[in-house]
């Protein structure tokens, strides 16, 4: 457990070299990865969303792809297409950018619902299906999606079914004054991200993901978690409560939280500390 804690701390510090003053966002991204989830970052441009995804990928020595979502993007641009090979006389599958360990989906709400939905199978089952054939995605696999909460012209808001696939939602926010001055004194931040040295391998990440599944959760903790979930479904203040998938994600994230803190068992604070980033985007307030 101590060895795992050291590796995770080294991972946080390594990403912190390029993301200044945002330890909470870094920790949440790492926790989401270890819990085999996906992260939605909703914030204004220029606060480090792309750099966070790149830094995470570089730090675990993984493959990285960035997909800029636009109104004319097609599902085949993401998943890949069969290409005819004239020498063999057969079609061969050409994988799309989704076939990477860390996939940054930039401005996910700028493309059509049809293209948005092409991510669902990949995010839920870690595979894609094209022309009747199923292709497994590399492991670990994580989607980091971004969207701008201010500019809504020409956007397609994510439906609840799509939002529910994201384990966590984060807000980066502006860095503190001291850290922002440090950023200004290092204008080569994009180059520094590419120069990051890995502190963990993808194989080690997969091993830790398997260990997360073995973290012990007592019945009292499960009752506490389900009490929160049930309250969201019964509250008159909410039109939509937390789904069973949301409850499962909260449990998996709580296990990952326990492991990152050097424990093989969950405590109530593991659940409590993750309620907002995991459940807030799954509920809909009742109309006034």
């Amino acid at each position: 457990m101590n060895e795992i804690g050291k590796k995770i701390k080294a991972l946080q510090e390594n990403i912190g070299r390029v993301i200044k003053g945002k330890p909470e966002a870094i920790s949440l991204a790492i926790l989401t990865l270890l819990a085999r989830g996906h992260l939605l970052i909703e914030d204004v441009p220029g606060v480090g969303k792309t750099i966070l995804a790149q830094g995470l990928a570089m730090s675990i020595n993984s493959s990285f792809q960035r997909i800029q979502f636009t109104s004319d993007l097609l599902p085949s641009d993401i998943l890949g297409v069969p290409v005819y090979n004239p020498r063999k006389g057969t079609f061969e599958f050409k994988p799309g950018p989704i076939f990477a360990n860390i996939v940054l989906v930039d401005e996910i709400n700028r493309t059509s619902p049809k293209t948005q939905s092409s991510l669902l199978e990949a995010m839920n089952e870690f595979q894609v299906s094209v022309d009747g054939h199923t292709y497994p995605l590399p492991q670990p696999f994580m989607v980091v999606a971004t969207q701008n909460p201010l500019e809504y012209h020409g956007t397609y808001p994510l439906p609840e079914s799509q939002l529910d696939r994201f384990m966590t939602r984060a807000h980066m926010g502006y860095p503190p004054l001291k850290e922002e001055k440090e950023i200004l004194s290092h204008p080569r931040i994009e180059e520094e991200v590419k120069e990051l040295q890995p502190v963990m391998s993808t194989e080690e990440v997969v091993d830790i993901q398997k260990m997360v599944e073995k973290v012990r959760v007592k019945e009292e903790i499960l009752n506490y978690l389900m009490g929160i979930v049930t309250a969201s479904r019964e509250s008159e203040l909410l039109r939509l409560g937390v789904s069973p998938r949301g409850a499962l994600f909260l449990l998996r994230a709580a296990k990952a939280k326990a492991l990152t803190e050097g424990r093989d068992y969950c405590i109530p604070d593991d659940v409590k500390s993750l309620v907002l980033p995991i459940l807030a985007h799954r509920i809909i307030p009742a109309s006034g």
Side-chain angles (χ1 to χ4, degrees):
M1 298 299 295
N2 290 335
E3 189 66 26
I4 292 175
K6 291 179 181 179
K7 290 181 180 179
I8 294 173
K9 184 178 180 181
L11 182 58
Q12 292 171 331
E13 292 176 349
N14 203 51
I15 302 174
R17 293 172 55 191
V18 292
I19 296 290
K20 307 293 184 180
K22 293 298 170 184
E24 298 86 1
I26 295 172
S27 296
L28 188 61
I30 294 173
L31 186 146
T32 304
L33 172 66
L34 299 182
R36 301 181 78 239
H38 308 286
L39 174 64
L40 175 64
I41 307 177
E42 189 176 60
D43 220 318
V44 296
V47 293
K49 300 185 293 291
T50 301
I51 293 175
L52 175 60
Q54 287 180 308
L56 178 61
M58 295 296 294
S59 296
I60 62 172
N61 198 27
S62 69
S63 56
F64 173 79
Q65 287 284 358
R66 178 181 179 273
I67 311 174
Q68 179 64 53
F69 271 30
T70 56
S71 59
D72 59 348
L73 195 72
L74 299 175
S76 57
D77 296 328
I78 301 170
L79 305 180
V81 293
V83 177
Y84 183 70
N85 187 329
R87 289 185 298 177
K88 296 182 179 180
T90 58
F91 283 90
E92 297 178 353
F93 178 65
K94 181 180 179 182
I98 195 69
F99 286 84
N101 295 116
I102 306 294
V103 179
L104 173 65
V105 175
D106 218 353
E107 295 188 294
I108 189 172
N109 57 335
R110 293 237 169 242
T111 195
S112 67
K114 180 180 180 180
T115 303
Q116 290 176 3
S117 65
S118 67
L119 293 172
L120 294 180
E121 183 184 10
M123 295 174 65
N124 201 47
E125 302 177 37
F126 300 95
Q127 64 181 32
V128 298
S129 298
V130 179
D131 283 354
H133 297 279
T134 299
Y135 304 93
L137 293 168
Q139 294 299 317
F141 173 74
M142 178 181 176
V143 171
V144 179
T146 73
Q147 65 177 359
N148 186 340
L150 298 179
E151 294 182 3
Y152 288 108
H153 180 70
T155 63
Y156 303 84
L158 291 177
E160 280 67 35
S161 60
Q162 183 86 6
L163 277 173
D164 203 42
R165 292 321 200 273
F166 287 98
M167 175 177 283
T168 50
R169 182 176 67 171
H171 299 274
M172 298 285 290
Y174 297 113
L177 179 60
K178 179 181 178 181
E179 282 72 17
E180 188 163 6
K181 288 175 65 177
E182 188 175 349
I183 293 172
L184 295 179
S185 64
H186 293 79
R188 293 179 61 255
I189 191 68
E190 287 81 6
E191 287 76 9
E192 290 180 8
V193 174
K194 297 177 183 178
E195 295 170 0
L196 277 181
Q197 296 299 311
V199 295
M200 191 183 295
S201 67
T202 53
E203 292 79 12
E204 288 175 312
V205 172
V206 172
D207 288 341
I208 296 176
Q209 288 177 336
K210 293 177 180 178
M211 292 188 68
V212 167
E213 299 174 0
K214 299 177 181 178
V215 172
R216 294 178 287 119
V217 181
K218 289 187 176 182
E219 186 174 357
E220 292 83 356
I221 304 298
L222 280 178
N223 291 339
Y224 175 62
L225 185 152
M226 285 309 304
I228 298 172
V229 171
T230 303
S232 75
R233 298 169 183 171
E234 296 177 350
S235 174
E236 296 180 355
L237 300 176
L238 301 177
R239 181 159 56 95
L240 178 67
V242 177
S243 67
R245 182 185 287 114
L248 177 61
F249 280 172
L250 181 56
L251 177 61
R252 278 167 44 185
K255 288 183 176 183
K257 175 77 170 177
L259 197 66
T260 60
E261 296 187 356
R263 288 180 277 106
D264 63 352
Y265 58 90
C266 282
I267 60 175
D269 281 351
D270 295 329
V271 176
K272 181 180 179 181
S273 63
L274 294 168
V275 165
L276 284 180
I278 294 181
L279 301 187
H281 62 289
R282 304 177 193 280
I283 61 176
I284 299 178
S287 58

